[in-house]
Structures are given as C-alpha cells and as structure tokens.
Amino acid sequence: MSPTRRAALAFVALALVALLVPLPLVALAALALATAVVVDARSVRRAVEVERVVPSILSRGVPASLVLRAAPGEEGAGDSLLRQPAAPDLVVSLPEGRITATRRGRHTLPPPALRRVGPLGLGRWDWGRAGEPAEVVVYPDMHQARRLAVAVRQGRLSDAGMRMRGPLGLGTEFESVRDYQPDDDIRQVNWRATARLQKPMSNQFRVEQ
C-alpha cells in the first residue's frame, strides 16, 4: 500500500495552507487525508486475475504479439495498470503489444506486475508477481534462413562479393534427421523434411575423427 501522486500533492497543499490557518485545523485535515488514503488503498487491496497471451515459440528478431489484460468480470479491473517486466534477450514493448527475442534458446518471461489505484486516486496497491512465469522457446527466423538458402543455391550471393562455404565444423558424413533443437546451427536445417512434417527438422552429422 502506498499513496499516489495526487495524495502527495494534497499533503504539499496542506503544508502550504498551514502558513495561513491555525495548526490544529491543518492537523485535522492531514489526519482526514491520511485516513482517506488508507481507505482508498484498502478498497483495491485484492489482486485481480491477469491474463497473459504470448506465443510459446518465437523467431529470433521477429516481433510477436503480447497481450496483458485483466480477466473479464473482475471488479475494478478498469483501475488496474499492467506491466510486463523485461527479461534477458527478450525485448518487451507493451504499448505496442510486442515481444522480440534477440537470442535463440529457452527463456523465462517473468510474471506480470499489477498496480491498482483506488477510486479516489489517493491510494494504490502494487503486486510484483500477478501471475506465473512463462517459458518461451526461440528458434532462428526460418523464413529468412530459407530465403538465404535459396539465394545460396541460385548463386545470387556471389553478386554481392560473398563466397559460399561448406558446413564448417558440422562433419561431412550424414547420419540421420531429427527434431530441430534451439541450439542447433541454422545450417543443419533439413528444409524438405521441415516442409513435409510441418515442423523444424535438422540433419545429424557424424563427427569427423
């Protein structure tokens, strides 16, 4: 529980009024204002249920939708302010409702933060954890990678002075096809198997001895 900016301005105004009116009256007004702050804050002391809608799978560098809202039917939901704390390698822009991953792998999105302001605007309650963490898995941008692979096959990269090179460090002996893992090199993607199975697939190479 804490006072709002409106309550702080009201206390400042009372301090200025104390120069003109008797001190007992100012003290009585300050007591009434403090009581109003407590009552206003206690009226919103119950946390509302927060719904967070975010994809569980993201593409690196590609913005995705992020929605935070108070659950329907919650009393006083219109007085709630929702925030999404940032996380390492996850860039959150809540006004636009966007989340962008900057590194592939598994990441944990912290719980949303909630602030409820009383109907008088004098008191508020803050919750740093208004929900549960969410895990998101970040893959490389498959669409961009496929366009790059097509450009390599068609030889268009040579026009920009770039040289095509083999799969460095991956080994040269093909072993099997398996599900794509977030830490796999993008050069391991098997595009035909990915298109056929409708999920990312990788080539497994035998390590050279």
Side-chain angles (χ1 to χ4, degrees):
M1 182 186 71
S2 58
T4 63
R5 183 179 180 183
R6 179 182 297 181
L9 293 176
F11 280 111
V12 171
L14 284 178
L16 296 177
V17 170
L19 301 175
L20 304 176
V21 299
L23 188 58
L25 292 179
V26 176
L28 185 61
L31 179 60
L33 179 59
T35 303
V37 170
V38 173
V39 172
D40 197 38
R42 287 181 62 84
S43 67
V44 290
R45 67 182 181 277
R46 183 178 63 88
V48 299
E49 184 179 352
V50 177
E51 294 181 353
R52 177 173 57 189
V53 181
V54 61
S56 59
I57 298 178
L58 303 176
S59 295
R60 184 178 61 181
V62 179
S65 174
L66 172 64
V67 178
L68 290 178
R69 58 173 176 258
E74 291 283 3
E75 183 180 357
D79 300 327
S80 302
L81 300 177
L82 301 174
R83 295 291 183 268
Q84 175 58 64
D89 304 311
L90 294 176
V91 180
V92 176
S93 180
L94 198 55
E96 293 79 15
R98 292 288 183 267
I99 179 172
T100 306
T102 59
R103 185 174 63 87
R104 65 186 184 181
R106 296 183 181 273
H107 305 279
T108 300
L109 195 61
L114 170 66
R115 170 177 293 176
R116 297 193 67 194
V117 180
L120 300 179
L122 298 176
R124 72 180 189 223
W125 281 77
D126 297 325
W127 290 266
R129 297 174 58 91
E132 298 297 329
E135 184 180 73
V136 295
V137 181
V138 181
Y139 291 98
D141 184 359
M142 294 298 183
H143 297 288
Q144 179 65 25
R146 184 158 192 173
R147 287 194 293 269
L148 180 61
V150 171
V152 170
R153 288 198 298 267
Q154 296 177 352
R156 295 202 302 267
L157 292 183
S158 60
D159 298 337
M162 302 177 66
R163 295 184 299 172
M164 294 179 291
R165 306 183 66 175
L168 300 179
L170 296 179
T172 57
E173 296 185 22
F174 174 79
E175 187 174 60
S176 62
V177 177
R178 58 171 174 77
D179 289 341
Y180 183 87
Q181 301 297 323
D183 293 331
D184 285 349
D185 193 291
I186 189 64
R187 294 169 293 180
Q188 293 178 244
V189 175
N190 188 315
W191 298 107
R192 291 185 179 179
T194 297
R196 183 172 64 255
L197 299 177
Q198 296 299 309
K199 63 178 182 178
M201 303 295 294
S202 289
N203 292 325
Q204 179 72 39
F205 293 92
R206 185 177 295 110
V207 179
E208 294 177 337
Q209 301 296 326

